[in-house]
Amino acid sequence: MKKTLYLMRHAETMFNVQKRIQGWCDSPLTEQGKKQAKAMGRYFRDHHIQFDHAYTSTAERCCDTMELVTDMPYSRLKGLKEMFYGELEGESERLKCKTWQECSTYYLQFGGESSDTVRDRMQETLTQIMQGNKRQSVLVVSHNAACFNFMRTVVEDPTEEWNKGFGNCTVFVYEYENDTFHLKEVLRGLAEGVQS
C-alpha cells in the first residue's frame, strides 16, 4: 500500500535573515516565517491534504512551524535534526561550503557531521516513521541540509535539485511502498513572499 510523506523545511528564522549557519543551534521564526507557516497550513487545507501523523525535529524553529501549519498533535525526534556544523554554528554563511559534494566531509574539521551521517540518520528515522501500520499521510518538519541529504538516498544525482535551492517551507513529497521511498515532487515557493 502506498503511503505519502510530506517532508517540509521549517519557516524563515532570524538566523536565515542574518545569513548565519544554523544547525543544532536555533533561532526564532521571524514574523515573515510565521506568515509562511500559516500560508502552508492554508495550502494543505485548500488542497484537502490531511495528515494522520506529524513529526518534527527537536529544534524550536521546526516545532513552531508545525504548530502554525496544523493544530494536530506531533512528536519530536532527534533523528530529524539538522546537520551539526561544529565550530561554525552561528557563524556567517560565507564560511559554508559551496557545492553538495564539497559538503560531504567539510564540517568534520570543525567538529561537525558528515553528509552521510545526516543522510543515514534521516533515512533510518523516516523509514521507522513510515513503517507504522496506521501511517498513510505523514507531515514531517525538518531542515534544509537534513532534507537534502535524505533526498540523496532517493535521487541518484541531486545536483539539479541542489541548484534550484530549497527555500523556507519547501515541501518534498515522497511515496513510500515496500520499504522504498520515491520522490514524487518538490513544492517550492508556496510560502515565499506571502503577505498575509
Side-chain angles (χ1 to χ4, degrees):
M1 180 184 295
K2 285 185 181 179
K3 303 179 180 183
T4 306
L5 166 66
Y6 296 84
L7 178 60
M8 185 170 82
R9 184 187 177 200
H10 61 78
E12 181 186 84
T13 69
M14 181 179 72
F15 275 10
N16 291 152
V17 173
Q18 294 175 353
K19 300 200 179 304
R20 293 183 179 276
I21 295 171
Q22 185 175 222
W24 288 9
C25 69
D26 210 355
S27 70
L29 298 185
T30 62
E31 288 305 310
Q32 179 68 5
K34 294 174 184 176
K35 292 176 182 177
Q36 290 171 343
K38 290 176 183 177
M40 291 308 301
R42 288 194 298 273
Y43 172 84
F44 290 132
R45 289 191 299 274
D46 290 348
H47 289 79
H48 308 289
I49 299 171
Q50 296 182 323
F51 309 106
D52 46 51
H53 286 78
Y55 299 84
T56 72
S57 145
T58 51
E60 179 181 299
R61 60 191 184 270
C62 290
C63 299
D64 288 351
T65 298
M66 178 68 80
E67 291 170 12
L68 291 167
V69 170
T70 179
D71 58 2
M72 70 183 296
Y74 64 93
S75 299
R76 301 164 70 237
L77 299 175
K78 289 184 178 180
L80 299 172
K81 288 170 68 170
E82 178 60 298
M83 175 180 271
F84 181 50
Y85 296 105
E87 296 170 12
L88 296 187
E89 292 279 341
E91 297 293 334
S92 169
E93 287 185 357
R94 292 192 303 269
L95 300 174
K96 290 178 76 171
C97 52
K98 302 299 184 268
T99 67
W100 70 267
Q101 295 94 335
E102 181 188 352
C103 286
S104 178
T105 57
Y106 176 76
Y107 297 104
L108 293 176
Q109 63 187 313
F110 303 105
E113 288 184 295
S114 71
S115 295
D116 286 354
T117 298
V118 180
R119 176 199 66 195
D120 293 347
R121 67 172 163 79
M122 283 291 288
Q123 182 177 26
E124 179 181 2
T125 303
L126 291 170
T127 299
Q128 288 176 352
I129 287 172
M130 298 307 292
Q131 284 176 340
N133 289 333
K134 296 182 179 179
R135 296 176 186 126
Q136 299 303 318
S137 179
V138 178
L139 175 63
V140 172
V141 178
S142 186
H143 305 264
N144 190 20
C147 290
F148 172 76
N149 280 299
F150 173 69
M151 187 178 67
R152 289 173 50 226
T153 69
V154 179
V155 178
E156 187 172 340
D157 183 0
T159 303
E160 182 179 349
E161 293 294 344
W162 168 277
N163 290 337
K164 291 177 185 176
F166 310 109
N168 294 105
C169 291
T170 292
V171 181
F172 304 81
V173 184
Y174 291 93
E175 287 183 346
Y176 180 79
E177 188 175 25
N178 299 323
D179 295 327
T180 302
F181 288 94
H182 169 71
L183 181 62
K184 187 176 177 184
E185 60 182 328
V186 181
L187 304 174
R188 289 181 171 87
L190 297 178
E192 292 176 10
V194 65
Q195 298 300 318
S196 58

